[in-house]
Amino acid sequence: MMRNSSADIRQSFLDFYHSKGHQILDSSSLVPDNDSTLLFTNAGMNQFKDVFLGIDQPKYFRATTCQRCIRAGGKHNDLENVGYTARHHTFFEMLGNFSFGDYFKRDAIKFAWELLTSKNWFGIPKEKLWITVYETDEESFNIWAHEINIPCNRIIRIGDDKGFPFVSDNFWQMGDTGPCGPCTEIFYDHGDHLSGGLPGSTEANGDRYIEIWNIVFIQFNRQSDGLMIPLSTPSVDTGMGLERIAAVLQCVHSNYDIDIFRALINATAVVIGSSNVSGIYIKSLRVISDHIRSCAFLIADGVLPSNEGRGYTLRRIIRRALRHGNIIGTKDTFFYKLVRPLIDIMGLTANHLRNKKSMIERIIKTEEEQFERTLERGLLLLDKELSRLTGDTLDGGVAFCLYDTYGFPLDLTIEVCYERNIKVDQIEFERLIEEQRYRARTYSSFNVDYSRIICVNHQSIFSGYEYIKQSSTVTALFRNGQSTEVINSGEEGIVFLNETPFYAESGGQIGDQGELIAYNMRFLVTDTQKYGPAIGHHGNISEGLLRVGDIVDANINKFRRLCISLNHSATHLLHAALLQVLGDHVSQKGSLVSDSSLRFDFFHFEPIKCNDIYQVEDIVNSQIRLNLPITAQMMDLETAKTKHSKFFLNKQYDKIVRVLSIGDVSSELCCGTHANQTGDIGLFRIMSETGISSGVRRIAAVTGEYAIDIMHQDVKIIRESASLLKSDRYRILDKIIALIKNNSQLEKELQQFKEQKAIQDSAVLCRYIVDVGGVKMLVKHLDNVEAKILRSMVDELKNKLGSVVVVLSASFKGKISLVVGVSKDLTDKVHACSIISMLINKIGGKGGGRDDIAMASGSNAASLPQALNDLSSWIATKLSFKIIE
Ligand code: SER
């Protein structure tokens, strides 16, 4: 009998399928690298999507994985339910076995039954299990009934139960289009002490019968018009949540009572400094221990908190956890302290988090500190809204805006309102939330029409590591996305060859350019792309025509390729140098290797200091001068990993991989093209270092002739600057500093001069004073005067004239400025800011101020004369009625 810890269950599942000829593969990243329309990896099959569709060849025909999944945000969003039910999680592990055109229904069902019921494996009593099949799936029904010998009354047929064809609990679809098929599900009966009915019944959503395994028979490719195209190689995709099966084997009903969650909940209580893990605390403790899993794993897979897309969902999860911390009375930042216990508790699954621990902690802690400020700001905004509220209900739109834009939780809004006897329009809030969820779902659904994807049935051999020219046969042609037998002169298309030296864009390296030549035919290749195992040459025919079966000479643009290769080798050297200078936390987030430059994106928390940039540049250049050999070696994946070659965790590699080594400085899994030795790179120069999102930096650099060219341009700039400054290169900087200093001194003097002149000019303005009800008033428009000067003029006039109301307007560079001054003795009759408000009402713009001085700016010059004209009578009214604003 096996032991039943979650770690044992995870391992037993993989061992079982390994014993049935399945290759154990790593979980892919939570950020799907093959589908930008999917928010997060939410099922074990995601990484195999292209294999199911026949776009990619399978690397193995049988595989098994324990896949980390997220169901928060996007199509499958369980976030709001977490903490309140026994089985919802933002993060969970999905155990799965896959057959890619190998075994089908019979073996899939037999394997599952053996694993679940055999005494050597999970040993679940058969009478605790119930089966569902798709209504019309006779084959599965018969296998269960006659080969596994399940009594027919325990096999439930479920048809299209959601009102549309193929919309059923027993017909699984990846999205609106794409791979899909009928499924058979296995349910576990948690016992009659719980409420709930059998699957298919009206009480199916109760707690008694719980689905533990979904076995999907991928048979169709669903088109956007609903058409089901049968796949040439039907496949199997199964998924069993580790947390659910652990609950069964550990004889508990709630997932939150399994070993992993018990340990996490206890660790959370310790961090929070509470010994209470029951009553009102338990919900919040569950939420926090669920959320630390999704947050830590998402950050490890490269997601950072932000205000959009994946980062936004992460931010919402973190804030929800913090809010629950707040509910149970945490006083300080605490969430980040759970990363360490999480890594210990999650065992193997969290191995890749170990060397990222401090980075994950730091990112979460920063977010916690920021949220504290959010709470403060949210409370202020809410206070303001409540102070001007007239009824007894806060608008749902205000609560939504506080929640969505400022991250201020609804329950806190309700709490604050409750204390003041104010209700919140939660119906409107929910409507707005639903609208927002709909937008998120639309964003995340698989909405690609797979029928339009170019599918080529053969593999192109890439000969470009050795050759830059190659004679080859045309195996397929595409024009306007459709397969064709011929491309004519002047037409654009995609050419596939059986063998090609053209590198197809991948691993950050751009595709090759060049030409395909035959007698009387020239096809200019403008780009090269991968289509599964085939390589497509994009371009157009400048002369002649090209047919399938033709023989062509494929010639790449040699110089361009050389430049790309130098940049690619330099990117590896840069990566190694960054690790050396900045530390182990630096990990690649992306790269772009082109002929003119290279770009490298990586994790790092702050702008890199100038000296560190120089040091990185120096290290790379010294390795260039050492002329280290650059070699590629094919080896099996495990050997490559143990050689500490750098690789992406989220990528599924072949069994045999290419390891690119540069001396003993760098070793990376890489399929790109490279220089022969580092000396070929010639020179490496960093052009810029910038931040592209929170925690991700980008370095752009150049190599070889491009670097030399930039160096020449720099020298030219220095020489010409020196000549203009009548200096030499060594004294340029001193000269520029002196010039800047001198210039700012001159600007200061000019300003003083303008102000003095304004004061003199204001004397002249006295002649415009009029008497309004016994009060002196001066209203005047001036041309070409800056706002600052206008203000000095008003101050001067107030000083000089004693009791007065002064209103000056001026135009300067297309803008209107207004300054109003009211002497202190008149402010109980009229306020400067009221006069400004009256003027803003008439001419548009914005402004404000105090009782005695106010300023505004506007752009509607046309309405100014009338507004100034009306002013005297408006002020006269104010003065005679002595209204205080
Ligand atoms: N893809 C199916 C699911 O997610 C089975 O793995 O349930």
Side-chain angles (χ1 to χ4, degrees):
M1 179 68 186
M2 57 166 273
R3 289 175 313 167
N4 64 3
S5 70
S6 295
D8 295 330
I9 298 167
R10 191 191 289 125
Q11 195 54 52
S12 298
F13 184 96
L14 298 175
D15 288 347
F16 173 81
Y17 279 101
H18 191 243
S19 76
K20 304 286 182 200
H22 291 64
Q23 179 70 27
I24 302 177
L25 296 179
D26 287 339
S27 165
S28 62
S29 164
L30 288 170
V31 178
D33 75 338
N34 58 352
D35 198 322
S36 57
T37 63
L38 181 63
L39 196 60
F40 297 119
T41 296
N42 58 22
M45 57 78 65
N46 290 164
Q47 64 169 311
F48 306 116
K49 188 192 71 178
D50 288 348
V51 178
F52 285 130
L53 285 170
I55 296 170
D56 252 353
Q57 300 295 321
K59 299 189 174 82
Y60 307 91
F61 291 101
R62 296 177 178 206
T64 181
T65 59
C66 175
Q67 174 68 49
R68 46 185 186 276
C69 297
I70 294 277
R71 289 200 177 166
K75 196 173 177 74
H76 301 279
N77 183 14
D78 291 340
L79 181 58
E80 322 296 338
N81 293 323
V82 172
Y84 299 94
T85 72
R87 267 168 296 280
H88 281 104
H89 301 290
T90 53
F91 173 96
F92 66 99
E93 293 178 71
M94 189 182 266
L95 299 163
N97 58 291
F98 307 92
S99 154
F100 307 111
D102 192 58
Y103 61 83
F104 201 41
K105 297 187 181 179
R106 173 164 295 104
D107 283 341
I109 290 173
K110 284 188 170 170
F111 288 155
W113 193 251
E114 182 184 344
L115 175 64
L116 287 180
T117 59
S118 161
K119 291 270 180 289
N120 297 328
W121 299 97
F122 291 175
I124 299 174
K126 293 178 185 164
E127 61 279 7
K128 296 287 270 175
L129 299 173
W130 288 72
I131 307 299
T132 62
V133 296
Y134 188 53
E135 195 167 32
T136 53
D137 185 2
E138 291 306 327
E139 190 182 349
S140 295
F141 187 96
N142 287 332
I143 296 168
W144 283 116
H146 307 303
E147 299 184 37
I148 309 284
N149 295 324
I150 305 284
C152 290
N153 62 354
R154 295 176 75 89
I155 309 170
I156 302 166
R157 290 178 190 265
I158 298 202
D160 296 335
D161 53 351
K162 310 259 189 292
F164 293 98
F166 305 111
V167 183
S168 163
D169 281 344
N170 278 65
F171 195 95
W172 194 84
Q173 314 202 21
M174 188 185 70
D176 298 333
T177 57
C180 57
C183 57
T184 177
E185 297 189 321
I186 304 175
F187 283 72
Y188 180 79
D189 178 1
H190 274 272
D192 58 10
H193 60 290
L194 294 165
S195 61
L198 284 166
S201 72
T202 46
E203 285 85 45
N205 285 337
D207 276 339
R208 180 168 171 187
Y209 299 94
I210 300 300
E211 179 224 318
I212 54 169
W213 207 338
N214 185 12
I215 300 167
V216 183
F217 306 115
I218 303 277
Q219 275 175 272
F220 304 103
N221 179 5
R222 188 188 162 107
Q223 309 296 292
S224 50
D225 56 7
L227 195 70
M228 295 287 188
I229 298 185
L231 290 169
S232 53
T233 48
S235 299
V236 173
D237 147 37
T238 91
M240 171 158 67
L242 173 66
E243 297 75 7
R244 287 189 182 200
I245 189 68
V248 169
L249 297 178
Q250 293 173 15
C251 302
V252 292
H253 170 248
S254 164
N255 289 4
Y256 286 96
D257 290 330
I258 67 171
D259 52 354
I260 289 182
F261 274 107
R262 270 188 284 114
L264 269 174
I265 287 170
N266 286 335
T268 308
V270 169
V271 161
I272 286 173
S274 153
S275 54
N276 198 343
V277 290
S278 60
I280 55 153
Y281 287 86
I282 191 65
K283 273 195 183 114
S284 294
L285 289 171
R286 282 178 182 167
V287 170
I288 295 166
S289 39
D290 171 276
H291 289 8
I292 190 61
R293 301 208 308 166
S294 42
C295 295
F297 279 92
L298 277 172
I299 295 170
D301 278 345
V303 182
L304 295 165
S306 73
N307 283 336
E308 55 185 18
R310 296 180 171 122
Y312 177 56
T313 304
L314 171 62
R315 175 161 283 165
R316 283 179 61 207
I317 305 176
I318 295 179
R319 290 184 169 186
R320 193 166 184 263
L322 301 183
R323 172 66 192 125
H324 278 269
N326 194 281
I327 289 173
I328 54 179
T330 52
K331 295 273 171 291
D332 209 350
T333 50
F334 70 96
F335 196 42
Y336 78 97
K337 292 182 188 155
L338 289 170
V339 177
R340 191 187 51 74
L342 172 84
I343 293 175
D344 294 339
I345 292 164
M346 294 294 291
L348 268 183
T349 298
N351 257 357
H352 67 288
L353 266 61
R354 286 186 197 283
N355 64 355
K356 295 182 176 169
K357 179 177 148 284
S358 42
M359 172 198 74
I360 300 169
E361 287 173 337
R362 194 160 161 182
I363 289 168
I364 295 180
K365 187 159 188 262
T366 308
E367 196 63 13
E368 289 195 73
E369 286 160 356
Q370 200 174 318
F371 188 60
E372 262 175 36
R373 291 193 290 274
T374 301
L375 280 183
E376 265 170 43
R377 193 175 45 170
L379 285 169
L380 266 176
L381 286 169
L382 181 56
D383 222 38
K384 209 164 150 196
E385 287 294 335
L386 292 178
S387 67
R388 57 177 177 226
L389 189 77
T390 44
D392 67 347
T393 308
L394 182 77
D395 189 47
V398 173
F400 178 76
C401 172
L402 279 167
Y403 170 76
D404 195 52
T405 312
Y406 299 101
F408 194 75
L410 174 70
D411 41 9
L412 201 56
T413 303
I414 295 173
E415 216 170 284
V416 175
C417 289
Y418 180 77
E419 285 159 11
R420 303 183 195 191
N421 272 336
I422 290 167
K423 295 191 281 272
V424 178
D425 183 350
Q426 290 187 54
I427 298 178
E428 176 62 4
F429 178 88
E430 282 306 326
R431 193 190 64 75
L432 293 166
I433 281 275
E434 197 38 56
E435 239 176 59
Q436 189 232 44
R437 280 194 198 123
Y438 176 77
R439 285 196 297 273
R441 275 199 297 274
T442 319
Y443 164 77
S444 71
S445 62
F446 284 102
N447 50 9
V448 186
D449 188 347
Y450 293 100
S451 61
R452 293 189 62 80
I453 289 176
I454 289 169
C455 249
V456 181
N457 285 332
H458 73 268
Q459 184 177 359
S460 316
I461 296 168
F462 175 61
S463 60
Y465 295 131
E466 298 90 24
Y467 305 112
I468 51 168
K469 278 178 190 216
Q470 166 90 52
S471 172
S472 189
T473 309
V474 177
T475 52
L477 294 171
F478 279 79
R479 201 182 38 204
N480 296 329
Q482 303 290 333
S483 173
T484 176
E485 281 302 302
V486 60
I487 301 181
N488 297 304
S489 179
E491 287 180 344
E492 287 191 1
I494 309 173
V495 180
F496 290 87
L497 304 174
N498 63 342
E499 201 165 344
T500 177
F502 282 75
Y503 182 84
E505 179 175 334
S506 56
Q509 178 174 332
I510 61 169
D512 275 331
Q513 293 180 348
E515 39 185 32
L516 310 178
I517 300 174
Y519 180 67
N520 273 346
M521 194 287 307
R522 186 178 295 267
F523 182 92
L524 299 174
V525 181
T526 52
D527 191 15
T528 312
Q529 292 289 330
K530 258 191 184 159
Y531 294 89
I535 296 175
H537 307 75
H538 290 236
N540 52 72
I541 296 198
S542 62
E543 58 183 87
L545 53 84
L546 189 58
R547 289 179 196 283
V548 174
D550 283 356
I551 310 262
V552 296
D553 281 334
N555 302 337
I556 63 170
N557 177 333
K558 195 171 132 188
F559 177 70
R560 184 174 179 274
R561 159 69 84 75
L562 177 71
C563 296
I564 295 172
S565 300
L566 302 186
N567 281 335
H568 205 152
S569 301
T571 307
H572 287 212
L573 289 177
L574 169 63
H575 190 175
L578 285 168
L579 280 165
Q580 192 181 329
V581 174
L582 302 179
D584 279 351
H585 62 275
V586 167
S587 63
Q588 182 166 354
K589 284 282 293 167
S591 69
L592 177 67
V593 178
S594 75
D595 51 335
S596 57
S597 64
L598 65 97
R599 215 169 72 187
F600 188 72
D601 301 340
F602 54 99
F603 266 130
H604 187 59
F605 312 108
E606 55 200 6
I608 306 178
K609 292 175 197 76
C610 250
N611 278 346
D612 286 344
I613 293 182
Y614 294 145
Q615 205 189 333
V616 167
E617 212 174 46
D618 286 349
I619 292 173
V620 174
N621 278 315
S622 67
Q623 278 148 3
I624 290 172
R625 287 194 301 276
L626 285 172
N627 204 18
L628 302 168
I630 302 179
T631 52
Q633 208 187 340
M634 302 304 288
M635 62 180 78
D636 68 80
L637 182 60
E638 290 317 309
T639 318
K641 284 183 181 173
T642 49
K643 280 187 81 178
H644 305 294
S645 305
K646 288 185 206 91
F647 58 93
F648 283 104
L649 280 164
N650 58 351
K651 226 175 122 109
Q652 209 44 259
Y653 289 100
D654 289 337
K655 274 184 270 192
I656 302 295
V657 291
R658 184 171 186 259
V659 175
L660 201 287
S661 308
I662 306 186
D664 55 8
V665 172
S666 155
S667 171
E668 293 194 28
L669 266 59
C670 177
C671 288
T673 62
H674 283 265
N676 292 326
Q677 53 275 315
T678 55
D680 297 348
I681 300 169
L683 180 63
F684 171 81
R685 288 199 60 193
I686 291 179
M687 299 304 295
S688 64
E689 190 276 334
T690 47
I692 52 167
S693 63
S694 135
V696 183
R697 310 298 305 174
R698 167 171 292 174
I699 284 186
V702 287
T703 64
E705 287 195 16
Y706 283 88
I708 290 170
D709 200 36
I710 298 271
M711 196 178 74
H712 287 158
Q713 288 174 29
D714 289 353
V715 169
K716 192 163 170 252
I717 292 170
I718 293 172
R719 214 178 27 233
E720 285 175 9
S721 308
S723 147
L724 283 171
L725 293 164
K726 304 202 182 342
S727 171
D728 59 47
R729 56 178 295 157
Y730 303 102
R731 288 181 302 141
I732 288 181
L733 214 56
D734 290 342
K735 281 255 181 181
I736 292 175
I737 292 169
L739 264 182
I740 291 173
K741 229 170 165 178
N742 194 26
N743 196 38
S744 81
Q745 180 60 29
L746 286 177
E747 267 178 8
K748 224 185 263 162
E749 284 171 15
L750 180 63
Q751 191 63 26
Q752 280 166 0
F753 171 77
K754 281 184 184 169
E755 279 174 25
Q756 276 163 12
K757 182 157 181 321
I759 290 165
Q760 285 162 14
D761 289 353
S762 44
V764 181
L765 293 179
C766 293
R767 75 168 100 120
Y768 298 102
I769 293 172
V770 291
D771 187 295
V772 180
V775 169
K776 276 187 281 181
M777 191 172 137
L778 197 170
V779 180
K780 183 73 184 123
H781 179 77
L782 307 165
D783 281 325
N784 225 10
V785 178
E786 291 167 61
K788 217 163 142 193
I789 304 291
L790 207 61
R791 161 82 197 251
S792 305
M793 291 175 92
V794 170
D795 286 343
E796 175 62 18
L797 284 163
K798 270 170 66 188
N799 280 342
K800 194 183 277 205
L801 299 170
S803 177
V804 71
V805 175
V806 185
V807 180
L808 293 188
S809 69
S811 50
F812 187 73
K813 293 186 178 167
K815 283 216 144 208
I816 304 290
S817 309
L818 289 162
V819 182
V820 178
V822 176
S823 54
K824 284 272 184 225
D825 61 317
L826 296 175
T827 52
D828 61 342
K829 300 192 175 80
V830 64
H831 290 173
C833 46
S834 317
I835 301 176
I836 276 289
S837 304
M838 178 271 185
L839 290 170
I840 288 174
N841 272 343
K842 301 219 164 174
I843 67 158
K846 52 181 193 274
R850 303 187 315 241
D851 300 354
D852 59 337
I853 188 91
M855 297 177 76
S857 65
S859 48
N860 187 1
S863 52
L864 185 64
Q866 187 60 44
L868 292 179
N869 258 343
D870 297 346
L871 199 59
S872 306
S873 52
W874 186 82
I875 293 180
T877 326
K878 297 278 155 190
L879 291 174
S880 59
F881 290 108
K882 299 189 185 213
I883 291 170
I884 299 177
E885 299 294 324

